[in-house]
Amino acid sequence: MKAKNLYCLMAMCAGSIALSPVASAQDAVIEDEAVAVTEFNCDNTDRFYQSWRDNWFIQIGAGVNELFVERGVGMKTHGKDISRRRMTVTYNFGVGHWFSPYMGLRLNAFFSPLHWNNPTVAQPTNGIVHARHVNLNLEFMWDMCNSIAGVNPDRVVSVIPFVGLGGDYTWRIKDQQGNAAAGTNALRKNGEPKKSTWTLPVTAGIQLRFRLCKYVDFFAEGRASFYGDNWNGCSYGRPIEANVAAIGGFNFNIGGRTWESYNECNSMAQLASMNNEVNALRAENLAQAQAIEALENRPVVKETVEVDCPETPLMTTVRFKINSDKIMPTEEVNLYNMAQWMKANPDQKVVICGYADKDTGTAEYNMELSKKRADAVYKALTTKYGIDGSRLTVKYDGSDVQPYSTNDWNRIVIFSDK
């Protein structure tokens, strides 16, 4: 994010920060204009993201089923209702992934034996039917609490509705004697009652998730799966059959539940802070330009002795922190402007001269430090901005030469024409 902001900042400043190729008595003083951040209305909303490896979970649970299928309602034997429903145990295993704090997918499997009473007039006492089934569903989950009350990975209780679609295989549909469940309007194949069925159920339910720790949750959920009329091997009565289950168990969160977030308003604040730093540097450049202009305008005493004219410094400089040869992000704009000026003036050659302040370090140490600073600027211009190295000359004066009267200003690289 920092690099992106820096490039935006350089693009904004390129047209507004003037680069004078040569400072002379005829140059006008640089206007002290602030660099304004482009106005942007942010909504101050946190946005969340993650790697695809994060927020997976494994679910293990168990519970009970109750079937809503054909059962000969009202039929009695010896005064006892023989059409009552029968609960059975069910076992659950699932694997899921939260793609965001609000939405997730789960592949959920169930296995259970099934028992139901389905007496007929012909067989009033032989109406208990047994079967086994496995069910596999792909379910969409919605974390209602994160959506309504805000994202909180440490929330103790979460409410999670879900819907899904899957496949169900039911087999060994037999009566108490182990025979195919004849006499119950059973579906038939080649004249014999079918002992197995394939169906595609639709599932819906709601889960309550209780956080035990970062990696483990306890869950309790109620769910209902809806089938066609042939699910239990019989086909009469109501066209829709159902299996209602109550499940409890544990979620094991792989790596815990965690989300990375960003807020675009924070980025704007960071950009504004960098803008203020640039304005401060512009003020320093203005003070330097005014000082140079004052020196150029002072009375000159003509002497008969001829002297060599010094190289003329260019306005752009690169400043460094104490005891450092690393180019600071705030100085990148000056390197950028120098590179643009050299590209606009392809015949111009430039001297890169490094300095160090004499108040810190020995003369020998400062000489080496100033060389490293000049080399760092040379490397940035040639490798990052594509300036031909033959147009650049590297010099370094350590702390033997102090271009500025304020010592901490002398931690600097100064460009001059050749």
Side-chain angles (χ1 to χ4, degrees):
M1 184 65 74
K2 290 184 178 178
K4 181 179 177 181
N5 290 340
L6 177 59
Y7 295 144
C8 293
L9 184 59
M10 290 192 298
M12 292 163 57
C13 295
S16 60
I17 298 181
L19 174 65
S20 300
V22 179
S24 64
Q26 289 78 24
D27 287 337
V29 176
I30 299 175
E31 293 290 337
D32 184 17
E33 297 178 357
V35 181
V37 178
T38 301
E39 197 170 315
F40 182 81
N41 295 323
C42 55
D43 59 10
N44 201 28
T45 300
D46 289 331
R47 289 172 172 79
F48 297 89
Y49 61 95
Q50 64 170 6
S51 167
W52 66 270
R53 300 180 183 87
D54 297 332
N55 295 304
W56 289 85
F57 66 89
I58 295 174
Q59 173 179 311
I60 299 175
V64 293
N65 293 319
E66 183 166 324
L67 310 184
F68 290 80
V69 296
E70 301 87 351
R71 58 189 181 91
V73 176
M75 296 197 67
K76 296 183 178 180
T77 297
H78 304 298
K80 296 177 62 176
D81 186 357
I82 59 173
S83 65
R84 69 183 186 278
R85 294 190 177 93
R86 295 176 178 267
M87 287 188 178
T88 56
V89 67
T90 185
Y91 306 97
N92 166 232
F93 178 81
V95 177
H97 183 216
W98 287 99
F99 294 95
S100 76
Y102 318 106
M103 295 179 294
L105 283 178
R106 175 175 64 179
L107 191 62
N108 218 4
F110 293 86
F111 166 77
S112 66
L114 302 177
H115 307 304
W116 69 92
N117 281 23
N118 193 10
T120 64
V121 175
Q123 295 177 311
T125 61
N126 191 27
I128 300 177
V129 180
H130 306 274
R132 295 181 181 179
H133 90 125
V134 290
N135 180 280
L136 184 65
N137 292 297
L138 182 63
E139 298 168 351
F140 170 80
M141 301 178 295
W142 173 46
D143 193 316
M144 187 167 63
C145 293
N146 277 348
S147 299
I148 297 174
V151 176
N152 180 7
D154 299 326
R155 181 174 281 112
V156 176
V157 180
S158 298
V159 180
I160 304 173
F162 59 88
V163 294
L165 180 66
D168 186 288
Y169 178 58
T170 303
W171 76 101
R172 293 180 64 178
I173 304 175
K174 298 180 179 181
D175 60 21
Q176 287 179 295
Q177 282 70 42
N179 302 315
T184 57
N185 291 334
L187 301 178
R188 296 178 180 272
K189 182 178 180 181
N190 299 326
E192 294 294 327
K194 295 180 68 174
K195 297 182 180 181
S196 63
T197 61
W198 285 95
T199 49
L200 297 175
V202 175
T203 300
I206 191 166
Q207 180 185 94
L208 298 179
R209 186 179 64 193
F210 302 89
R211 185 178 188 272
L212 302 181
C213 68
K214 180 179 179 181
Y215 302 101
V216 182
D217 303 318
F218 173 78
F219 74 89
E221 70 178 53
R223 55 189 299 117
S225 297
F226 301 94
Y227 302 82
D229 192 26
N230 64 330
W231 174 47
N232 65 335
C234 301
S235 180
Y236 70 93
R238 295 179 180 178
I240 301 295
E241 297 177 343
N243 180 14
V244 177
I247 308 292
F250 297 93
N251 285 331
F252 299 94
N253 305 307
I254 302 174
R257 290 199 305 271
T258 181
W259 308 95
E260 299 292 337
S261 66
Y262 73 93
N263 189 312
E264 59 188 11
C265 290
N266 294 338
S267 300
M268 293 302 102
Q270 183 181 15
L271 185 58
S273 175
M274 296 179 68
N275 175 69
N276 293 334
E277 292 182 21
V278 171
N279 286 337
L281 293 172
R282 285 176 57 82
E284 292 183 13
N285 287 341
L286 176 63
Q288 294 175 22
Q290 291 172 338
I292 292 172
E293 184 180 35
L295 291 173
E296 291 174 343
N297 292 334
R298 69 181 180 179
V300 178
V301 177
K302 293 184 178 181
E303 298 181 4
T304 57
V305 180
E306 293 185 1
V307 296
D308 294 334
C309 294
E311 295 174 345
T312 306
L314 301 176
M315 287 303 299
T316 298
T317 62
V318 179
R319 299 182 62 191
F320 293 83
K321 291 182 179 180
I322 187 171
N323 194 31
S324 173
D325 60 351
K326 304 292 185 184
I327 297 175
M328 296 183 291
T330 54
E331 299 299 302
E332 288 284 351
V333 65
N334 293 335
L335 277 176
Y336 172 83
N337 285 331
M338 174 54 68
Q340 296 305 308
W341 179 78
M342 293 193 73
K343 290 176 182 178
N345 298 274
D347 297 328
Q348 182 69 47
K349 295 186 177 181
V350 171
V351 176
I352 301 170
C353 192
Y355 298 91
D357 71 278
K358 65 181 181 181
D359 285 350
T360 56
T362 64
E364 293 79 6
Y365 180 84
N366 287 338
M367 187 64 70
E368 180 64 23
L369 180 59
S370 66
K371 178 180 183 301
K372 290 180 180 179
R373 288 170 174 171
D375 288 341
V377 172
Y378 173 89
K379 182 178 179 181
L381 286 174
T382 55
T383 60
K384 188 173 183 178
Y385 296 106
I387 302 302
D388 188 349
S390 64
R391 299 175 60 193
L392 303 171
T393 300
V394 175
K395 292 184 178 181
Y396 44 94
D397 288 335
S399 56
D400 296 343
V401 177
Q402 300 286 273
Y404 301 104
S405 58
T406 303
N407 282 331
D408 57 1
W409 284 18
N410 293 305
R411 304 163 192 154
I412 200 166
V413 165
I414 295 178
F415 299 99
S416 60
D417 63 346
K418 189 171 181 179

